[in-house]
Structures are given as structure tokens and as C-alpha cells.
Amino acid sequence: MVACRRLALESLIMATIIQSSPDMVEIIDRYRQLYSGLVYDVLDEMGLPHQALSTDLRPLRPDMVVAGPAFTIQGINDPVGDEGLRERRIKLFGEMRHPCVDVRDCGFDTRVAHYGEMNAVLGRAKGVVGAIIDGGTRDSRHILAMDFPVFARYFSPVEAVRRWSYYRWQLPVALRGALTATVTVNPGDFMFADIDGVLVIPQEHILEVLRKSEEHAAVESRARGEFAAVGADVEAVYARYKKL
């Protein structure tokens, strides 16, 4: 009887925890109210300074924002156009679930476009909310017309067929880093990107980083308002908030 009651209590506690945790759509919406500089400062304070990706990863349009859990893809050189690899690639789209971010490790290749309009169309249909491509993209006018957020290192019209191909997915990948040679991205890590850069938030820290970032944002908002007031004592404002 005691064991049954304990089991029932544990089940109730677990159900309460699950119900009290925000779902991923809500988490994404809340992150989208923030900005990468603020979120990076929180990561830095938490002892996670190496979560920024290379500074040459840029959005197709300055106002684009990407936020969501990573669906990781790794590619390899494919100089012969391996039919087996080409046939396998369609399967990865079937494993995508809303909401996710298409994150591509292109193996440091700089010759071709690793992403394009058809990827965006199919990805969006399968629940992708944006793409982070550590390589090249093309069909940019069409992607812009879709209003689909893509970050990439460069533009190229060069087709990937017989040059590069998908190899495996939903395994850890390595993308170029801002402070380190590479940053590891695991499936489910949270990607957050805006005009200032791309961040990788480890899955186990998603909610903690969000909570602390929102707290920092609230303090910054109060400090911003007081700094902007006519005749403000800026030294006093700084002493209150330690924000500048």
C-alpha cells in the first residue's frame, strides 16, 4: 500500500513538472523577443563562452531571426554523385518534426551551395523554422520571397550534385566557432541567431538561459529608460543597474 501511494505521488509530481514546463513553441516565441548579444552575455556568465559560431555566418536579410532546436546534418565530398547517398537524402526530411532548425556541417567545403529553395520548401513543409548553413546557399531571391530565415557563410550558384552530398543526420556535428575552431552542435541543442551572430545553447541549459536572459532584459529596459530621461544622473543610473 505504501509503495503504491509513493508511486502515485511520484507520478503526480512528474505530471506537475511536465505541465509546468513551457512547450517548445512558447520557448521559441520567448527567445525571439531577445537578442543575441544579451543571450551571449548570459552564456558567458554561466561559464559557456564558446557557444558562438563563426562571425561570417550571416542572414540573407538583416531582420531575420532563427530560434529552435537543432536538426543536425553532416555532409561529405561526393565527386562521383553516389546514387545511394542521393536516394538516402530524402529520408532525412521525413524525420524532421516541427519545430526544428536545419543545421548543416558542410565539412569545411567552400565550392558549392549546400542549401537552396527546394530545401527550404520541403523543410518548411516538414516543420523546419529556419536554417543555419556552415557553407553556401543559393536561390536566395526565392528564399527571401518565402520569408524563410537562412544563415549561411556565402552565396554560390554552383550545384552540389557530384561535388557534395548529405551523409548522416541527427548526430553531433562541428560548425566553425567564433572563439574556438569549432563548436559542437548536438541534436536538440537550441539555435538562436540574429544579425549579430549565431549561438548554440546546450539542450540542458535552454530554460535556464532563457530565464536569466529575460531577467537581464528587464533590467536593461529599466536602465535604458532612465538613461534616456532628460537630465538623468547617469552615474546614479549606472550604480543602480550596472548596465552600460
Side-chain angles (χ1 to χ4, degrees):
M1 179 65 73
V2 172
C4 290
R5 288 176 178 170
R6 183 164 58 247
L7 181 58
L9 179 60
E10 290 173 353
S11 298
L12 178 60
I13 292 171
M14 182 58 67
T16 302
I17 291 172
I18 291 172
Q19 290 171 7
S20 64
S21 298
D23 67 19
M24 186 53 67
V25 172
E26 178 189 339
I27 289 169
I28 289 171
D29 287 343
R30 288 165 63 185
Y31 264 101
R32 289 179 63 87
Q33 306 307 309
L34 304 170
Y35 60 95
S36 62
L38 175 68
V39 176
Y40 178 80
D41 289 348
V42 169
L43 288 166
D44 203 14
E45 290 173 4
M46 291 173 59
L48 298 167
H50 301 136
Q51 300 306 116
L53 297 184
S54 175
T55 54
D56 58 3
L57 274 167
R58 308 303 300 160
L60 266 63
R61 194 176 61 225
D63 63 341
M64 286 182 166
V65 175
V66 168
F71 185 99
T72 59
I73 299 172
Q74 185 181 52
I76 58 172
N77 285 330
D78 179 24
V80 298
D82 186 300
E83 286 299 322
L85 291 176
R86 285 179 58 78
E87 290 300 317
R88 285 183 69 233
R89 66 180 180 170
I90 197 64
K91 298 183 184 301
L92 73 87
F93 289 99
E95 296 183 21
M96 291 173 167
R97 297 290 182 273
H98 180 270
C100 68
V101 175
D102 185 330
V103 178
R104 300 197 180 189
D105 168 3
C106 301
F108 296 91
D109 181 74
T110 57
R111 302 165 300 152
V112 306
H114 308 95
Y115 196 82
E117 179 204 8
M118 296 304 290
N119 288 253
V121 169
L122 182 53
R124 172 178 273 178
K126 293 297 184 180
V128 177
V129 297
I132 308 293
I133 311 301
D134 191 13
T137 188
R138 69 178 199 169
D139 309 327
S140 299
R141 284 189 297 165
H142 297 290
I143 296 173
L144 286 167
M146 294 172 57
D147 196 26
F148 185 79
V150 174
F151 285 64
R153 295 185 61 236
Y154 61 87
F155 301 95
S156 172
V158 178
E159 166 67 70
V161 174
R162 294 187 302 280
R163 300 178 181 95
W164 181 91
S165 185
Y166 306 91
Y167 178 57
R168 59 180 189 168
W169 51 91
Q170 285 298 75
L171 293 167
V173 296
L175 276 62
R176 293 170 177 84
L179 298 179
T180 53
T182 60
V183 176
T184 298
V185 182
N186 295 290
D189 285 350
F190 197 89
M191 309 301 297
F192 183 62
D194 64 14
I195 188 173
D196 289 329
V198 183
L199 301 174
V200 182
I201 302 164
Q203 188 170 6
E204 62 272 22
H205 295 299
I206 293 173
L207 289 177
E208 182 182 6
V209 171
L210 176 59
R211 177 180 58 78
K212 290 183 175 180
S213 295
E214 289 175 333
E215 291 172 356
H216 279 244
V219 172
E220 283 194 356
S221 182
R222 292 195 295 273
R224 188 180 296 113
E226 293 187 27
F227 275 130
V230 176
D233 183 339
V234 295
E235 291 186 7
V237 175
Y238 178 73
R240 266 195 299 279
Y241 300 111
K242 303 301 182 184
K243 293 286 186 181
L244 186 62

